[in-house]
Amino acid sequence: DRRRRRGCLGRVRDMSMSRGVSGLPEEQVEAAAQLDVSFATLYSSLLSALARADPLPDGRSLAEPPSPLPFVGLPLPQPHPAASLAAEQRTAASAKEVYRLGAAHAARAKGFLVLDGFVTDHCAILNLETSLLAGLLPFEDHPGRKMAIHKRRADLLAVPLAQLNEDAYVQLYRQ
């Protein structure tokens, strides 16, 4: 199981190394970063659904495989196995795997959508990272680890607030 996870995360890291480093125009790199934000949002929603054990919005359960996407010309990878977790597979280990996948996409998006230039997008990604971390809380039994997750969430949001002008970004400070 650990080897499979490392292989999956290794593919995510390989994709992040190949994207944005060479030859792509800036608007394509930004579009790729926005796509990463979308994937991180998807994994955050999946993590929330795992914790609630609710069916998906279209009525399917998480055990049912998603219908194939009709993008014939795009070389899309197959969905990750974590995207079709059955109820009996809703464990802390599977939640951590979903978190890792979402966090990898969020980190890759933050690589382009930096605080200096993309303040609103960067802060939205930080909020997304905190929601990914919050999705781990229902699967955590140890109070010390729960406190560490809460502290990590607070630390993620504290760093940019120290660098931003409170008068210029009033809404971000209020959030």
Side-chain angles (χ1 to χ4, degrees), residues 115-154:
L115 188 61
D116 184 19
F118 297 94
V119 175
T120 306
D121 291 331
H122 190 84
C123 289
I125 295 169
L126 291 176
N127 282 328
L128 183 56
E129 284 184 306
T130 62
S131 69
L132 283 165
L133 284 166
L136 288 177
L137 289 171
F139 296 97
E140 192 57 64
D141 294 331
H142 192 269
R145 287 195 208 123
K146 282 188 176 189
M147 282 301 299
I149 290 173
H150 283 302
K151 182 175 178 349
R152 186 171 173 191
R153 292 176 67 203

Side-chain angles (χ1 to χ4, degrees), residues 40-61:
T41 304
L42 174 72
Y43 285 119
S44 178
S45 299
L46 178 60
L47 203 52
S48 298
L50 286 175
R52 287 190 320 265
D54 289 345
L56 296 172
D58 62 0
R60 290 183 299 113
S61 75

Side-chain angles (χ1 to χ4, degrees), residues 29-127:
V29 177
E30 184 176 353
Q34 294 296 342
L35 185 61
D36 280 325
V37 171
S38 298
F39 272 111
T41 304
L42 174 72
Y43 285 119
S44 178
S45 299
L46 178 60
L47 203 52
S48 298
L50 286 175
R52 287 190 320 265
D54 289 345
L56 296 172
D58 62 0
R60 290 183 299 113
S61 75
L62 288 173
E64 298 174 39
S67 61
L69 296 174
F71 299 113
V72 179
L74 294 175
L76 295 174
Q78 290 297 315
H80 189 271
S84 60
L85 292 173
E88 61 273 3
Q89 294 173 315
R90 296 175 191 199
T91 63
S94 62
K96 287 178 185 176
E97 175 70 11
V98 172
Y99 164 77
R100 286 185 190 109
L101 291 167
H105 281 285
R108 189 167 54 196
K110 277 194 320 186
F112 179 78
L113 301 172
V114 293
L115 188 61
D116 184 19
F118 297 94
V119 175
T120 306
D121 291 331
H122 190 84
C123 289
I125 295 169
L126 291 176
N127 282 328

Side-chain angles (χ1 to χ4, degrees), residues 119 123 127 157 160-162 164-175:
V119 175
C123 289
N127 282 328
L157 298 173
L161 290 180
L164 296 176
N165 182 347
E166 185 174 356
D167 296 331
Y169 295 100
V170 175
Q171 188 65 29
L172 288 176
Y173 268 86
R174 288 182 182 167
Q175 288 176 358

